[in-house]
Amino acid sequence: MKLKTGESASFQKTISETDIYDYSGTSGDINRDETVKESFSGCIAHGMLTALISAVLDTELPGPGTIYLSQSLGFKVPIKAGDTITVIVSVKEILNEEKGIYKMETACINQNGVTVADGEAVIKYKENSISGWESPRKNTNLAKNTSFYDERELKNLGIKKFGKNVLISRNAVIYNPNMLEIGDNVRIDDFTTISGKVVLSNYIHIAQACGLYGGDKGIYMDDFTGLSSRSIIYTVSNDYSGNSLTNPMVPAEYKPGDKSIPVHLGKHVVIGTSSVILPGADIGEGSAVGAMSLAVEPLEPWGIYVGSPAKKIKNRSRKLLELENDLKQNLGEG
């Protein structure tokens, strides 16, 4: 298949301080300009670290076998540690179809929609130039954003079960994939850690830097549930009273006070940012837990809970049940 004018693909990455330090060591550019430091607060990244263009060219559009011939690039706005950069590459012009030479338009955009760098690339590409390679553009089920695993890669992770439209960040950590079950329309974002038995139903979002520690008992999240960033669910906890040793390096027989209880999040439960759910603290259907809250015991359905420990402050609206019904009817699921 030949490339067509207007085809596009993207890649997204959050720039960390580690990325900046690693690039400094690799490039040798370890002395940042003091004027830049004084002009812009925060840890400023190298300009070339912004240009993650080859991540798109080599993996998505066109894919492996791409030969980078040239690149023009203009830097518009500095980026800092913590910025999320989306690289968009599109086919601008077919220079020589027979030889597979194309001009690509390239743009790097931050989380605020501001273009931080742009330019043009000239590449050479012939499909199937690598034996056995099948262009991901042929598979319409793959994630458009290559910061997520594609379907083939998901199968190779060894996940016990997963459904349709599953997006798992390449930066997520899954320690026991054979104990992970995932339904349809589930997204797991950067830096989330999943360990032990975890069962996710449908229409679920787990935001950045969450922790799901299912142990042997398991975490169960029903349809339309969600965890905001940095939320943590535990099914196992140590006894801090002094009657038991603690930490995972100690054999179980010396930790008689350990608690291991499953956690169940009912349908439509949402957990606010930086909240903690402890073993056995099931969250009833339709309830919402506010930011920075601590759930230490089961919470009743259809309430809004806040605080440490979490206490109910009012009832939650059930309007969302009508929206769920509309969604399913529009998708032919009703």
Side-chain angles (χ1 to χ4, degrees), residues 96-274:
N96 189 320
E97 188 171 41
E98 183 178 351
K99 293 184 177 181
I101 299 177
Y102 303 87
K103 180 181 289 186
M104 316 292 282
E105 186 173 18
T106 60
C108 306
I109 301 169
N110 68 16
Q111 68 275 11
N112 299 316
V114 176
T115 299
V116 298
D118 60 11
E120 293 179 344
V122 176
I123 59 127
K124 183 176 182 180
Y125 172 76
K126 287 190 175 181
E127 194 165 40
N128 296 325
S129 58
I130 294 182
S131 178
W133 166 254
E134 180 180 352
S135 171
R137 294 181 296 111
K138 288 183 177 180
N139 190 338
T140 58
N141 293 322
L142 301 189
K144 294 181 180 179
N145 185 335
T146 55
S147 66
F148 296 110
Y149 291 114
D150 63 36
E151 187 172 0
R152 178 178 53 187
E153 291 170 321
L154 286 176
K155 292 178 180 178
N156 291 334
L157 288 178
I159 296 172
K160 181 177 181 180
K161 174 185 176 183
F162 69 90
K164 298 176 294 185
N165 191 29
V166 171
L167 303 177
I168 299 179
S169 168
R170 299 175 190 275
N171 294 315
V173 178
I174 302 175
Y175 282 111
N176 308 100
N178 61 308
M179 301 176 73
L180 176 60
E181 299 181 40
I182 305 176
D184 299 334
N185 304 302
V186 174
R187 172 175 154 179
I188 300 171
D189 287 348
D190 294 344
F191 316 121
T192 286
T193 299
I194 297 178
S195 175
K197 184 175 183 178
V198 175
V199 179
L200 308 176
S201 295
N202 308 300
Y203 294 101
I204 290 175
H205 178 219
I206 299 172
Q208 288 187 337
C210 288
L212 287 80
Y213 304 104
D216 294 329
K217 301 298 184 179
I219 295 169
Y220 303 86
M221 295 177 60
D222 290 349
D223 292 357
F224 298 99
T225 51
L227 302 181
S228 295
S229 58
R230 297 183 298 281
S231 294
I232 302 178
I233 302 177
Y234 295 102
T235 63
V236 179
S237 65
N238 294 141
D239 177 7
Y240 293 170
S241 68
N243 295 316
S244 175
L245 292 179
T246 63
N247 89 55
M249 302 307 293
V250 175
E253 59 265 30
Y254 299 98
K255 299 186 291 181
D258 274 12
K259 181 187 295 185
S260 181
I261 308 174
V263 172
H264 178 207
L265 272 57
K267 197 173 182 180
H268 293 295
V269 164
V270 289
I271 307 297
T273 182
S274 300

Side-chain angles (χ1 to χ4, degrees), residues 259-326:
K259 181 187 295 185
S260 181
I261 308 174
V263 172
H264 178 207
L265 272 57
K267 197 173 182 180
H268 293 295
V269 164
V270 289
I271 307 297
T273 182
S274 300
S275 293
V276 177
I277 312 299
L278 294 184
D282 292 350
I283 313 299
E285 177 180 344
S287 282
V289 177
M292 302 181 70
S293 295
L294 173 66
V296 297
E297 58 185 18
L299 304 181
E300 295 296 321
W302 296 102
I304 296 178
Y305 296 82
V306 298
S308 179
K311 300 294 183 182
K312 183 176 179 179
I313 58 172
K314 62 180 179 179
N315 293 326
R316 190 178 183 210
S317 171
R318 304 193 186 205
K319 171 70 176 178
L320 56 82
L321 295 177
E322 299 177 17
L323 298 174
E324 176 195 352
N325 186 57
D326 289 346

